Amino acid sequence: MKTLSKFLSALLAFTVLQVQAMGEDDPLLVMGKLDQFEIRDTEGDNPRVLAGELWAGYDLSKLWLKLDAERVGGETEELEVQALYSRAISAFWNIQLGARFDDKPEPRRKWAVIGVQGLAPYFFDIDAALFFGEGGQVGLRLETEYEWMLTQRLVLSPDIEINLYGKNDPATEIGSGLADVEVGLRLRYEIRREFAPYIGVNWQKKYGKTADYAAGGDIEDAQVVIGVSAWF
Amino acid sequence: MFDSLSRRQFVTGVSTGMALTSLGLPSAKVRAAGLLAAQPAVLSGRQFNLDIGYQQVNFTGAERTATTVNGSLPAPILRWKEGEQVSLRVTNHLAHDTSLHWHGMILPYQMDGVPGLSYAGIKPGETFEYRFDVKQSGTYWYHSHSGFQEQTGLYGAIVIDPKEPDPVAFDREYVVLLSDWSDTSPESIYANLKKLSHYYNFQERTVGDLWHEIREKGVTKTWQARKMWNQMRMSQADIADVTGYTYTYLMNGNTPASGWMGLFSKGEKIRLRFINGSAMSIFDVRIPGLKMTVVAADGQNIEPVTVDEFRIATAETYDVIVEPAADQAYTVFAQSIDRTGYARGTLAPDPSLQALIPAMDPRPVLSHRDMGMAHDGHDMGVMDHDMSAMGNDMGHDMSTMKHDMSGHSMHSQAMNAHVMNSKPGPAGFGSQAPVVHKPSERGPQTDMQAMSPLSGLDDQGIGLRDHAQLYGRKVLRYADIRNLTPTLDKRDPEREIQMHLTGNMSRYMWSIDGIKYADAEPVRLHYGERVRITLVNDTMMTHPMHLHGMWSELETGDPDYIPRKHTVIVQPGSKISYLVTADALGRWAYHCHMLYHMPGMHREVRVEHGGKKA
């Protein structure tokens, strides 16, 4: 530990060539965040889910990577990556522009993304995005999350995600209109700000044509989840 | 003074440590062995050699590297004499630049120690000699003005003996320097705040609090009381950015566990020179069982005011006289503004005595007043009206836009009125000018504007307002402060400069008039002018504003006895005015003294010959 701190202070000495009259106002920061890293208990193989983001940048402009992945029985069933430029437009809101790549399920799909992300009145975390895909496909995703502080470290957090699409895409089993809704309720304990194990429940349901495509598979599923959230 | 200090050192056996530190030798082992310096060494005279270097310290059970002067944390007490010239040779043994700023000193700007304004700073391995005439007396302090170094231990006291006989009588004196120590590096603290602004706040309102409130007031009233905070996305529990979660609060370098100790004999008058040398902490100070007579503020003698408690913001100093009548111990108690911790010491006739350590007062929550809303309204009509005029990012987008526009035209009118009525009000009574929010205040870098800011003069501050009522404690207010001697510059101000302290709490950005230091033009004063500065706090944090090189003459209501300060608290959602005589040519720093607000909430003040008259 001591050697490490010596190494770090030496490193600092190299990187900070000239110290100004005060600390650096708007330093380049990098934040990585695992919102969900969990196992979902269901019939058959239990899915493992990873949802998180990585950003690098300054107060008002950042580059974001958003990652969503689900593995079942050693197979990646879902892998979605978004690369976005995020720009602050008001006190609590950012506009996010970029691209989304769906690596799984196959066939791969590419999208252009325009979204808003921020904090709405009454402390609702909002992430809303429009996706423009190939062949005139359009998608809309609305996500919101709330945090109830039961104690200073025990937080109950409901969240909801809704996906809508403009067209049928039989290859990826997506139907037009309301496609799916996912509702979660997670109870986490912040051992540190940066590390919180949690338990919860997750419920998801497919609707309309999307449900028709999935006939025979899971249309509605409720699962108990256990996982950790963490950031640096 | 020296008698009492050296006796004290002898009694606790730290004189060895003191000898080591005053020679500039590492005293890590001294500290590690538990022989904590009860008081840093006192260096006096006209010539000083100060060595800035790394020093291993251990305040929490974990060893950390501090940056110190002569191996001492706090730095040695510098004792000067008014009227003499001092020479301070400061040598940098660090791997990067450093500097020392003499806080509150009236001196040529090249000696002020601000890298980029006064000079280029002190490079590694170099020695810089500061040399200036000491033109004042009283209690001041010095600290690094480079990066976030101050947080890591570069601060110490300055005591200047007056040339003329001291109007304050005392038998014994002690410096009481309050500070905050963290095992986390300041750069990491700053990054944590930018990533999660409430990182250090473990006093958020919980579901349990909500339940209590509903049971007490009912659902409707609770909803109404919380509506504004919810709509504005602000936390009523947001009192301090950095808290006792990471800070260990120190008194003369002693942790609360060990405590500082000052000895006295019954019946003595003791002068305590309180200095807040912390990075980010505001303290409320009291000594249960003793009245404190405040005799100086920011080094300057004032008409004595007797109080039970006072708030001392980062960089302020207060001298108080206490007269213990009994042969008993007293606790010097300095609780942080958010009640997450305290620094403490003991005044005792015998080193074996300790007094009870009081419990901290309840944690405060912000009120409407702290949001710049004059009405602490139960009247929903009034409240709604205020709210609509208030936010720049509130509620539904369309309605916000509408309000923004109407607000804007109102402001332009106000601005015209301001220009036409350019003659500011008379000295001593503060501003009569309308509060004007500049267009630059709008944008993602700000999250609120105070629409009807009250004067901060009569306000004891968050968490202190009910202390008279609840505990019978008289709390010092700025309005109580009168200079001991008559105002030197009796001129009325020729012009008034209104500046707004702005920020976005959740993005953790700070600025003045919505513009951060890096993007700002200097504030230009012309040499010799008398100007009024009015500060409006458009945030819900308390900002101690420090103007270098010239006095901030606080307009507390008596033009003939205007107190002179170097650091002035601007209460949340409030305003305050002071006069400045621009009698110091050069480039000066002007900033919030909260270390992590300072990078953005900062201006250069340039005093030049000529220039246009307002």
Side-chain angles (χ1 to χ4, degrees):
Chain A
M1 200 61 214
K2 201 170 156 186
T3 356
L4 182 70
S5 70
K6 271 185 185 155
F7 171 75
L8 287 176
S9 54
L11 189 73
L12 197 70
F14 277 110
T15 50
V16 183
L17 292 174
Q18 192 182 350
V19 180
Q20 283 305 307
M22 72 289 295
E24 202 186 337
D25 168 48
D26 190 5
L28 175 67
L29 296 177
V30 179
M31 184 177 188
K33 199 166 174 225
L34 274 178
D35 293 313
Q36 292 175 4
F37 186 48
E38 66 191 27
I39 298 176
R40 295 180 175 173
D41 182 45
T42 187
E43 288 170 31
D45 286 325
N46 291 335
R48 282 139 214 268
V49 171
L50 187 152
E53 67 226 21
L54 179 75
W55 62 249
Y58 301 95
D59 286 338
L60 299 179
S61 55
K62 295 178 169 76
L63 291 173
W64 279 59
L65 283 177
K66 293 183 185 175
L67 180 71
D68 266 295
E70 185 171 332
R71 280 171 76 82
V72 185
E75 292 279 313
T76 301
E77 293 208 337
E78 191 197 325
L79 178 63
E80 178 196 303
V81 182
Q82 295 183 50
L84 306 166
Y85 169 71
S86 178
R87 177 82 196 170
I89 49 166
S90 72
F92 296 98
W93 294 101
N94 304 304
I95 193 158
Q96 303 195 320
L97 303 170
R100 167 181 150 189
F101 306 94
D102 297 352
D103 197 55
K104 294 275 167 52
E106 286 174 337
R108 294 176 180 177
R109 292 282 181 255
K110 290 194 287 258
W111 311 77
V113 184
I114 175 167
V116 288
Q117 179 269 339
L119 188 66
Y122 294 88
F123 296 98
F124 287 96
D125 261 312
I126 305 277
D127 200 337
L130 267 175
F131 303 105
F132 301 95
E134 296 130 295
Q137 175 68 302
V138 179
L140 172 68
R141 178 180 295 166
L142 302 169
E143 286 175 272
T144 182
E145 188 180 346
Y146 190 81
E147 295 193 339
W148 267 309
M149 310 271 300
L150 298 183
T151 72
Q152 298 300 330
R153 291 171 187 271
L154 191 64
V155 184
L156 185 64
S157 174
D159 66 278
I160 182 165
E161 178 183 329
I162 300 170
N163 283 292
L164 300 102
Y165 291 91
K167 287 182 175 178
N168 292 333
D169 184 353
T172 56
E173 299 191 343
I174 280 169
S176 73
L178 177 63
D180 60 82
V181 174
E182 186 168 352
V183 178
L185 184 68
R186 286 171 181 77
L187 180 68
R188 71 171 190 268
Y189 185 80
E190 293 187 353
I191 294 171
R192 292 176 55 84
R193 283 288 190 214
E194 296 92 339
F195 186 80
Y198 64 82
I199 53 165
V201 288
N202 198 71
W203 171 86
Q204 45 197 338
K205 188 173 178 185
K206 296 183 169 79
Y207 292 89
K209 192 76 183 164
T210 308
D212 295 344
Y213 287 135
D218 282 336
I219 291 174
E220 184 178 354
D221 199 8
Q223 304 148 330
V224 171
V225 305
I226 182 163
V228 292
S229 62
W231 62 269
F232 66 85
Chain B
M1 168 73 198
F2 294 104
D3 281 353
S4 82
L5 277 177
S6 49
R7 188 160 74 233
R8 168 79 197 116
Q9 286 156 17
F10 180 76
V11 167
T12 53
V14 291
S15 48
T16 328
M18 290 295 92
L20 286 174
T21 56
S22 53
L23 286 172
L25 297 172
S27 64
K29 298 310 153 203
V30 178
R31 210 169 263 285
L35 295 171
L36 279 162
Q39 188 103 21
V42 179
L43 307 178
S44 53
R46 299 177 190 208
Q47 309 265 340
F48 300 85
N49 287 304
L50 304 177
D51 290 278
I52 298 181
Y54 298 111
Q55 173 73 53
Q56 294 301 111
V57 295
N58 186 343
F59 291 109
T60 61
E63 200 161 279
R64 285 292 185 276
T65 304
T67 43
T68 57
V69 175
N70 294 3
S72 172
L73 191 163
I77 297 170
L78 304 181
R79 189 113 200 171
W80 301 340
K81 174 101 181 155
E82 184 184 9
E84 291 188 350
Q85 189 176 77
V86 289
S87 148
L88 303 120
R89 292 172 54 80
V90 180
T91 304
N92 181 4
H93 301 284
L94 304 177
H96 42 80
D97 290 15
T98 191
S99 60
L100 285 180
H101 161 62
W102 320 100
H103 189 112
M105 297 304 295
I106 301 300
L107 37 61
Y109 83 95
Q110 299 90 337
M111 295 291 120
D112 197 42
V114 180
L117 295 182
S118 321
Y119 65 161
I122 309 171
K123 306 284 169 215
E126 285 185 1
T127 300
F128 182 85
E129 187 189 5
Y130 294 86
R131 184 184 284 276
F132 52 88
D133 296 322
V134 179
K135 295 175 168 175
Q136 65 209 86
S137 64
T139 307
Y140 303 90
W141 67 300
Y142 63 110
H143 58 83
S144 168
H145 221 291
S146 297
F148 294 130
Q149 275 172 15
E150 193 193 314
Q151 172 83 83
T152 59
L154 278 177
Y155 47 81
I158 297 171
V159 176
I160 309 171
D161 292 312
K163 198 158 64 176
E164 307 295 328
D166 201 322
V168 182
F170 55 93
D171 305 305
R172 196 188 282 261
E173 64 177 311
Y174 291 107
V175 164
V176 183
L177 192 150
L178 307 170
S179 63
D180 44 22
W181 171 265
S182 173
D183 280 350
T184 304
S185 80
E187 288 77 15
S188 299
I189 292 177
Y190 191 56
N192 285 341
L193 290 167
K194 284 209 181 262
K195 291 174 184 178
L196 186 69
S197 62
H198 62 276
Y199 186 98
Y200 294 102
N201 185 355
F202 287 86
Q203 294 187 331
E204 295 285 3
R205 311 201 85 178
T206 62
V207 171
D209 295 332
L210 181 68
W211 178 243
H212 282 296
E213 209 173 317
I214 288 172
R215 277 180 53 172
E216 227 170 77
K217 298 200 275 190
V219 174
T220 317
K221 280 205 169 144
T222 303
W223 175 262
Q224 284 172 0
R226 295 202 170 192
K227 187 175 164 186
M228 180 195 72
W229 304 94
N230 282 327
Q231 290 189 341
M232 294 189 67
R233 286 148 282 182
M234 295 199 176
S235 165
Q236 264 184 291
D238 193 359
I239 307 296
D241 302 349
V242 190
T243 68
Y245 175 73
T246 187
Y247 278 152
T248 301
Y249 301 107
L250 305 178
M251 185 174 286
N252 290 331
N254 299 281
T255 64
S258 56
W260 166 76
M261 180 163 269
L263 294 177
F264 68 87
S265 303
K266 188 173 74 173
E268 279 182 334
K269 276 182 193 247
I270 311 163
R271 179 178 194 158
L272 299 174
R273 299 174 181 272
F274 283 96
I275 300 166
N276 186 342
S278 71
M280 285 296 287
S281 305
I282 296 170
F283 293 100
D284 294 332
V285 179
R286 64 200 161 96
I287 308 174
L290 290 180
K291 293 271 178 198
M292 299 182 285
T293 303
V294 186
V295 292
D298 288 1
Q300 300 293 294
N301 293 320
I302 62 167
E303 237 173 73
V305 192
T306 301
V307 298
D308 299 292
E309 187 168 23
F310 64 88
R311 170 159 293 174
I312 184 166
T314 306
E316 286 188 304
T317 80
Y318 283 107
D319 288 30
V320 309
I321 300 285
V322 293
E323 297 179 65
D327 261 334
Q328 67 166 83
Y330 299 89
T331 294
V332 182
F333 190 67
Q335 55 183 344
S336 69
I337 186 174
D338 63 335
R339 318 300 183 225
T340 56
Y342 57 85
R344 69 147 189 120
T346 307
L347 290 174
D350 183 302
S352 66
L353 292 176
Q354 290 281 326
L356 209 66
I357 301 167
M360 285 189 283
D361 293 316
R363 67 183 162 97
V365 287
L366 297 170
S367 68
H368 289 155
R369 180 192 174 128
D370 305 312
M371 309 291 288
M373 297 165 62
H375 319 278
D376 216 344
H378 302 286
D379 180 343
M380 284 306 291
V382 173
M383 215 172 102
D384 281 340
H385 173 75
D386 274 5
M387 280 167 44
S388 61
M390 211 165 148
N392 57 5
D393 187 89
M394 289 186 44
H396 306 291
D397 284 347
M398 283 312 290
S399 64
T400 306
M401 243 160 83
K402 245 192 229 159
H403 290 307
D404 279 0
M405 283 163 63
S406 63
H408 195 70
S409 58
M410 205 175 75
H411 296 153
S412 337
Q413 280 168 19
M415 202 146 13
N416 291 336
H418 184 55
V419 171
M420 279 164 67
N421 179 22
S422 63
K423 187 74 189 161
F429 300 101
S431 176
Q432 287 151 20
V435 169
V436 179
H437 296 282
K438 297 193 182 101
S440 60
E441 266 200 59
R442 296 183 175 272
Q445 75 280 17
T446 62
D447 60 13
M448 77 166 246
Q449 292 179 353
M451 278 303 154
S452 20
L454 296 174
S455 163
L457 278 183
D458 289 308
D459 187 10
Q460 295 90 343
I462 299 158
L464 293 176
R465 289 167 192 146
D466 54 2
H467 280 198
Q469 196 190 335
L470 289 179
Y471 315 114
R473 294 184 208 147
K474 187 185 172 193
V475 181
L476 184 74
R477 304 165 309 164
Y478 275 171
D480 299 326
I481 302 178
R482 295 280 181 285
N483 209 47
L484 187 67
T485 52
T487 307
L488 290 175
D489 188 345
K490 288 203 155 67
R491 287 178 294 166
D492 286 331
E494 296 159 43
R495 62 184 178 125
E496 178 168 334
I497 300 171
Q498 187 176 111
M499 282 186 257
H500 289 227
L501 311 180
T502 46
N504 181 325
M505 189 64 208
S506 64
R507 294 187 193 275
Y508 210 75
M509 300 172 69
W510 304 99
S511 53
I512 294 176
D513 291 335
I515 302 167
K516 61 183 183 179
Y517 180 54
D519 301 334
E521 286 292 310
V523 175
R524 289 169 199 278
L525 303 183
H526 45 271
Y527 184 64
E529 79 170 323
R530 182 80 159 159
V531 62
R532 169 179 289 131
I533 293 178
T534 296
L535 296 175
V536 178
N537 189 345
D538 283 331
T539 78
M540 46 184 213
M541 306 310 290
T542 303
H543 300 291
M545 292 296 292
H546 171 43
L547 174 62
H548 289 223
M550 290 154 279
W551 290 111
S552 301
E553 298 182 47
L554 191 59
E555 298 186 88
T556 57
D558 185 345
D560 297 326
Y561 294 91
I562 301 180
R564 305 197 292 183
K565 292 186 99 284
H566 49 62
T567 308
V568 173
I569 288 180
V570 193
Q571 307 277 11
S574 302
K575 60 176 182 172
I576 203 154
S577 295
Y578 46 81
L579 302 172
V580 174
T581 296
D583 56 2
L585 286 168
R587 303 174 67 190
W588 302 100
Y590 183 35
H591 57 89
C592 176
H593 221 283
M594 296 298 224
L595 194 63
Y596 305 120
H597 297 178
M598 180 178 158
M601 197 178 278
H602 197 298
R603 283 293 182 269
E604 176 187 343
V605 169
R606 210 174 276 186
V607 181
E608 301 163 316
H609 279 295
K612 62 174 167 47
K613 295 265 177 188

